[in-house]
Amino acid sequence: MPIILRLDRVMADRKMSLNELSEKVGVANVNLSKLKNGHVSAIRFSTLEAICRALDCQPGDILEYQDE
Amino acid sequence: MENSRMIKTANGLDKLFKILRTLIAVALVVMFAVLSALTIANWVNPDTVIGTDPELVDIGPLTLELAQAHRPDNGTVLRYAWAYAGMGAAAAIAMYYALGVVRSILAPMKQGQPFCQSVCDDLKKLGVVSIVMGVIANIGAAAEALSLMRIYGLVDLVGGEVIRSVRVNIEFDLTFLAVFFVLMLVRYIFQYGVELQHLSDETL
């Protein structure tokens, strides 16, 4: 898929672990790991909103479009 | 939640079908045990009389117009009983299998997840069973008429003193085709549900 999730990069910038993000967002770390590794086909606005709030970033910082 | 109602209904139906399957199995065993015992003892109700007055008597798909009361011998009654038991057993076994398939359809619904590939496969199986049962029922009706004619030796009796005429009432029932198409339609709906469920599961 040409949409790539850059969650690991933003998490590294904020020095936040997966467990910490999982607690703040309220999503199981297994699911967050899937999200980080791009193993999901869609993301809800509510999840995106919670992640952006926890990481203090914009959706564009997490999502990236790459031409195939 | 609506989901909990589905789980409750699926659990209730599953218990009901489990009891029905057990009853079918027990009834089959009892029926064949009683018939075997009767056959070994060569015993039937001595008062078995067909048509106490000249009248029309329906036996399966046959309508007999009797001129006088007829008392069939033990062998005839037992053969007739075995033929009926055989057809009943075939229907009961098909029903037993169909109830098993329905129970496996209910299994994921009991977990609150109705949209599974296994449900779609089972609905297809149920459709095939409905076709098989319908064809067997229609062929069975024709076979019943032919076997009854042989068992009672009706060809020899027609025009005699006991039977004035024989009418064979065979109708081809196509209800099973409607059941099949409805089941296939439900299957396609569930197939679409499986795709939507897959998308939902992959959405965070």
Side-chain angles (χ1 to χ4, degrees):
Chain A
M1 217 164 50
I3 299 290
I4 297 183
L5 278 142
R6 295 292 185 202
L7 195 59
D8 48 351
R9 198 173 59 188
V10 182
M11 280 168 68
D13 285 349
R14 307 291 190 275
K15 294 183 175 56
M16 195 179 284
S17 70
L18 201 67
N19 284 338
E20 201 180 336
L21 184 66
S22 165
E23 277 174 25
K24 285 188 176 176
V25 174
V27 173
N29 56 6
V30 178
N31 290 332
L32 270 185
S33 177
K34 280 184 189 172
L35 193 66
K36 208 174 91 173
N37 298 317
H39 292 149
V40 292
S41 54
I43 183 166
R44 288 191 185 88
F45 280 161
S46 56
T47 310
L48 191 60
E49 182 190 323
I51 290 172
C52 287
R53 192 185 303 120
L55 293 173
D56 189 26
C57 65
Q58 293 297 312
D61 299 332
I62 302 169
L63 300 170
E64 193 177 303
Y65 172 76
Q66 262 187 6
D67 206 356
E68 277 180 322
Chain B
M1 255 176 84
E2 287 301 309
N3 217 18
S4 67
R5 286 179 72 182
M6 181 186 69
I7 292 168
K8 206 182 277 183
T9 310
N11 273 315
L13 282 174
D14 188 56
K15 277 178 194 157
L16 178 71
F17 292 147
K18 191 179 178 184
I19 293 168
L20 273 177
R21 283 189 97 198
T22 312
L23 284 177
I24 287 172
V26 170
L28 266 178
V29 172
V30 169
M31 181 180 74
F32 279 111
V34 169
L35 260 181
S36 301
L38 286 177
T39 307
I40 290 165
N42 196 27
W43 185 90
V44 289
N45 184 356
D47 298 328
T48 304
V49 177
I50 299 172
T52 48
D53 292 310
E55 59 184 340
L56 292 174
V57 178
D58 289 320
I59 309 172
L62 298 178
T63 301
L64 310 178
E65 189 189 350
L66 301 183
Q68 62 187 58
H70 174 61
R71 190 186 297 270
D73 62 280
N74 278 7
T76 303
V77 175
L78 282 173
R79 277 197 296 275
Y80 184 59
W82 272 106
Y84 254 85
M87 279 186 295
I93 288 167
M95 185 60 77
Y96 186 86
Y97 177 74
L99 284 175
V101 175
V102 173
R103 282 194 71 204
S104 88
I105 288 173
L106 289 172
M109 292 185 189
K110 280 162 63 183
Q111 312 295 325
Q113 292 169 331
F115 297 118
C116 296
Q117 190 56 44
S118 67
V119 171
C120 301
D121 297 341
D122 287 337
L123 281 168
K124 190 180 175 184
K125 262 188 221 168
L126 209 57
V128 173
V129 169
S130 77
I131 289 274
V132 171
M133 279 176 80
V135 169
I136 286 176
N138 283 302
I139 291 173
E144 185 188 12
L146 291 173
S147 61
L148 280 173
M149 288 181 85
R150 282 183 66 87
I151 288 169
Y152 280 97
L154 295 180
V155 178
D156 300 330
L157 289 173
V158 173
E161 292 179 353
V162 180
I163 299 172
R164 285 203 190 110
S165 68
V166 178
R167 191 164 60 239
V168 183
N169 315 305
I170 299 175
E171 291 172 3
F172 201 69
D173 186 5
L174 293 174
T175 315
F176 68 93
L177 276 180
V179 173
F180 173 77
F181 286 123
V182 169
L183 282 170
M184 286 300 108
L185 197 65
V186 174
R187 180 178 170 245
Y188 296 139
I189 293 168
F190 266 80
Q191 193 75 57
Y192 185 55
V194 169
E195 284 172 28
L196 292 181
Q197 184 70 55
H198 186 65
L199 278 178
S200 172
D201 290 344
E202 282 198 347
T203 302
L204 271 182

